[in-house]
């Protein structure tokens, strides 16, 4: 069964996962060996666990998350990083459009504040066209 990537996948975290798996296999840990054997198929494990390479461990991690290769996993993470939108980033560095989305939309941080969102939109009317997300929030179906 393929595992889901974490909510905000990090290439560094996945690299560390591959290195940890490699150490486990080389140390002869049963769990690491079972993981490696299950995901490396149809390529067999090396005869000696010490012969497993980092590239093999990376392939195992990639397959564990449903990718056919490490490079495919890396390309996916790059694409996700390019197009991801995390509108809950607030504070001094938050741009007005991000703050508008936080105020106008229901989030896990609490209920929306329609009044504050309307005030912010009045102060910064360019927010309405800032992104597809803000166009949706203001009800601009044509946009």
């Amino acid at each position: 069964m393929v595992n889901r990537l974490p909510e905000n996948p990090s290439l560094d975290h996945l690299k560390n996962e591959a290195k940890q798996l490699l150490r486990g296999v080389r140390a002869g840990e049963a769990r690491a060996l079972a993981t490696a054997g299950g995901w490396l198929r149809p390529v067999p494990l090396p005869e000696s666990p010490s012969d497993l390479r980092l590239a093999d461990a990376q392939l195992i991690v990639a397959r564990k998350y449903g990718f056919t290769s490490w490079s495919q996993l890396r390309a996916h993470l790059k694409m996700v990083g390019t197009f991801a939108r995390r509108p809950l980033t607030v504070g001094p560095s938050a741009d007005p459009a991000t703050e508008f989305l936080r105020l106008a939309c229901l989030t896990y941080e609490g209920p929306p504040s329609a009044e504050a969102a309307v005030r912010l939109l009045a102060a910064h009317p360019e927010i309405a066209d800032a992104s597809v997300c803000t166009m949706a929030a203001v009800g601009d179906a044509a946009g």
Side-chain angles (χ1 to χ4, degrees), residues 126-137:
E126 70 278 4
I127 290 172
D129 298 324
S131 71
V132 68
C133 299
T134 58
M135 286 183 246

Side-chain angles (χ1 to χ4, degrees), residues 30-41:
R31 187 174 183 178
L33 288 167
T35 298
W39 290 106
L40 200 53
R41 282 188 221 130

